[in-house]
């Protein structure tokens, strides 16, 4: 469901941006507007970015191999990072270069009414795509969290990447429209170049935020604290489990999570009983968290662990949710 929704958002953005890019390039050639040319390049790059996101989704869905035993889910994060680099290196770079060139060698915008019509239509198209991405992000990513917190906790970069791109596109269109109006009304062609530079700044900020969020996913983000607390509660509710030594998790993709747990079992239990307990814990974790695709549970004595100087579990991050361990877990 999540992958299908991501593809829907990407295809909607791809078709909209491709159409807008063609119209903008035609308008830029007719009017000679640097801001319009920057916007055309921006839309073209966004179109290419959506293609890269689709490539990332397809490559991430490949099955595991001996060389990649946990699959290729991280490729989605890699291609999203490439998208951020393209926004910065090409989109922002070309926009700022064109803007500075127009400021140094200003010339009036021809047929300004064409710019107004094209920018108005582009705002309508981009607005429709933005609303689509916003609805999907609210449905699958935001939940009850605030916007910044939702982006930081989201493990599916495709939806918030499209949302960020379209937000930047709408801001850029507004700047381009304002620059064209002021350039014509005040008789200052250089303001068109200033608008192009501002579009480049908007793209730079967008790329920086995307790169920052994606590198965190690419370098191994774990589950949210509340999720770890619930898994801890499930494990500790199993009869014969005396305590948890350690719990670690890592996202290999939006719906591909590895969880590793070290548990201290009652020494009086037989090996067969411990094996059945491990199987029950794994089943309950997967039932509660369908995105958990790999569960590894280690039976380890807590006292011998401390004697060997192994670190204690870092439970501080989930202490605020520790009350959940008191809730009965259905069997």
């Amino acid at each position: 469901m999540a992958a299908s929704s991501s593809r829907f958002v990407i295809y909607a953005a791809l078709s909209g941006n491709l159409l807008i890019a063609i119209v903008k390039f035609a308008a830029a050639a007719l009017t000679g507007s640097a801001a319009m040319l920057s916007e055309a390049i921006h839309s073209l790059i966004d179109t290419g970015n959506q293609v890269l996101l689709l490539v990332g989704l397809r490559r991430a869905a490949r099955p595991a191999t001996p060389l990649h035993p946990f699959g290729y889910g991280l490729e989605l994060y890699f291609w999203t990072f490439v998208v951020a680099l393209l926004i910065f290196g090409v989109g922002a770079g070309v926009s700022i270069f064109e803007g500075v060139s127009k400021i140094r060698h200003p010339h009036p915008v021809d047929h300004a009414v064409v710019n107004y019509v094209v920018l108005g239509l582009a705002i309508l198209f981009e607005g429709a795509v933005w609303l689509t991405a916003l609805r999907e992000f609210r449905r699958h990513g935001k939940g009850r969290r605030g916007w910044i917190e939702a982006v930081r906790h989201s493990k599916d970069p495709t939806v918030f990447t499209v949302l960020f791109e379209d937000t930047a596109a709408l801001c850029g269109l507004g700047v381009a429209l304002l620059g064209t109006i002021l350039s014509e009304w005040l008789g200052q062609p250089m303001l068109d170049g200033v608008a192009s530079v501002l579009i480049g700044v908007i793209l730079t900020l967008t790329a920086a935020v995307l790169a920052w969020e994606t590198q965190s996913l690419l370098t191994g983000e774990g589950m949210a604290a509340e999720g770890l607390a619930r898994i801890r509660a499930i494990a500790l509710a199993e009869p014969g489990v005396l305590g948890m030594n350690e719990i670690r998790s890592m996202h290999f993709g939006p719906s591909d999570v590895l969880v590793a747990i070290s548990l201290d079992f009652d020494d009086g239990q037989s090996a067969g009983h411990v094996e059945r307990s491990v199987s029950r814990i794994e089943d309950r974790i997967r039932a509660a968290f369908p995105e958990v695709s790999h569960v590894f549970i280690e039976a380890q004595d807590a006292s011998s662990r401390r004697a060997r100087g192994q670190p204690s579990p870092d439970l501080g991050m989930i202490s605020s949710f520790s009350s959940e361990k008191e809730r009965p877990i259905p069997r």
Side-chain angles (χ1 to χ4, degrees), residues 21-244:
I22 294 171
V23 175
K24 284 178 180 177
F25 272 116
L30 182 63
T31 63
S33 169
M36 181 60 74
L37 180 59
S38 296
E39 277 298 310
I41 294 170
H42 180 186
S43 294
L44 184 62
I45 292 169
D46 282 351
T47 303
N49 289 344
Q50 269 91 60
V51 172
L52 290 179
L53 290 177
L54 289 172
V55 169
L57 282 172
R58 180 167 181 170
R59 292 182 64 84
R62 290 179 297 168
T65 64
L67 187 61
H68 292 269
F70 294 107
Y72 292 83
L74 290 174
E75 282 222 28
L76 177 59
Y77 301 150
F78 167 76
W79 288 105
T80 308
F81 190 75
V82 172
V83 165
L85 294 180
L86 284 177
I87 293 174
F88 174 74
V90 182
V94 172
S95 295
I96 293 174
F97 176 81
E98 286 294 328
V100 171
S101 178
K102 184 66 176 287
I103 292 172
R104 293 181 61 189
H105 307 287
H107 56 83
V109 173
D110 299 324
H111 310 290
V113 67
V114 174
N115 269 7
Y116 298 145
V117 173
V118 170
L119 290 172
L121 291 174
I123 288 173
L124 290 177
F125 290 143
E126 289 284 6
V129 175
W130 181 82
L131 287 175
T132 300
L134 180 64
R135 281 196 296 267
E136 291 302 319
F137 184 66
R138 281 178 168 173
R139 185 181 307 169
H140 298 289
K142 186 176 183 298
R144 297 181 179 179
R145 297 185 174 98
W147 290 102
I148 296 177
E149 184 185 6
V151 171
R152 293 186 63 185
H153 281 79
S154 176
K155 310 303 180 184
D156 185 354
T158 54
V159 175
F160 73 70
T161 295
V162 174
L163 182 62
F164 276 25
E165 283 183 346
D166 289 332
T167 301
L170 285 173
C171 292
L173 287 168
V175 170
L177 182 59
L178 182 61
T180 302
I181 293 173
L182 293 178
S183 174
E184 184 182 13
W185 286 6
L186 300 178
Q188 295 290 334
M190 66 174 294
L191 293 178
D192 181 53
V194 172
S196 182
V197 172
L198 290 178
I199 291 170
V201 172
I202 291 171
L203 292 178
T204 299
L205 294 175
T206 303
V209 173
L210 282 178
W212 179 261
E213 290 301 325
T214 308
Q215 66 82 26
S216 181
L217 291 168
L218 191 58
T219 52
E221 275 194 12
M223 292 182 67
E226 56 265 36
L228 292 178
R230 288 181 61 192
I231 290 176
R232 180 174 184 267
I234 290 172
L236 293 178
E238 175 66 25
V241 174
L242 301 181
M244 176 176 289

